[in-house]
Amino acid sequence: MNKTARAIFFALLALVVLAGVFYFITDRVARSMYPLSYAEMVTRYAEEYGVKPALAYAVIKVESDFKADAVSPRGALGLMQLTPDTYRWAVWRQKGSAGEVSDEDLFDPDINIRYGIYVLSLHLSEFGDTDTALCAYNAGRGAVNAWLSDERYSSDGLTVTNIPYPETKNYVKKVNNAKRAYEKLYFQKEN
């Protein structure tokens, strides 16, 4: 092998090694940005309630960035940012009685993930469309039902096609972006 061929060979080899290192580093960074924290709970409740794990993780990522003690300015609590009223409604809906529940329960990751995914599953069942269900998760069922009956926001009465709240529009976009990242990194067979 002459000098030129050897130089080309080593340059190509260096590019292949650099590409591998780049892929490894970017994959590690991406996985650290989109972790699988609380995996046992997310997997269990996603399966129990028929929600895709990538969607459940995306909601947690956007709502609290995996901070179990998160509190929103509007009083939503924990990983999936449930309000105490939504939590009580979900417990009542599931058990037929809210029983003795406390707002502090929402800081327990198991309780928060269980009822957050349950509420998400109810919205998915009720609305049948992921984006519309996400609108309900963020803005509430009442707002979404009003939007569905208004031609400015829904052309078919079934899906919200024009989200009137900028916060909710941004929320749906963020969750969908995070969901795509989770699907690409961990759940490619889920699609």
Side-chain angles (χ1 to χ4, degrees), residues 58-182:
V59 169
I60 295 169
K61 171 72 177 163
V62 171
E63 288 287 356
S64 69
D65 201 22
F66 294 91
K67 294 178 183 92
D69 61 350
V71 178
S72 81
R74 294 189 177 155
L77 306 172
L79 291 161
M80 295 190 76
Q81 290 289 280
L82 293 173
T83 63
D85 287 344
T86 299
Y87 170 52
R88 284 181 175 73
W89 172 78
V91 171
W92 171 83
R93 172 100 190 216
Q94 191 173 63
K95 297 180 178 181
S97 164
E100 291 189 35
V101 297
S102 163
D103 296 358
E104 294 299 311
D105 294 343
L106 291 171
F107 294 114
D108 178 322
D110 190 73
I111 290 171
N112 195 284
I113 291 170
R114 175 184 181 184
Y115 286 101
I117 292 176
Y118 178 62
V119 168
L120 188 57
S121 77
L122 293 174
H123 293 326
L124 289 163
S125 293
E126 180 176 357
F127 298 109
D129 171 70
T130 301
D131 285 356
T132 304
L134 289 172
C135 287
Y137 196 92
N138 180 261
R141 291 174 59 247
V144 169
N145 282 315
W147 299 343
L148 291 173
S149 63
D150 189 326
E151 290 178 351
R152 293 175 298 170
Y153 310 121
S154 175
S155 58
D156 61 5
L158 300 171
T159 56
V160 176
T161 52
N162 182 22
I163 303 169
Y165 294 178
E167 176 189 334
T168 301
K169 187 174 190 172
N170 190 41
Y171 174 80
V172 171
K173 182 179 178 181
K174 283 181 179 180
V175 171
N176 281 322
N177 287 339
K179 179 178 174 264
R180 279 190 291 278
Y182 274 101

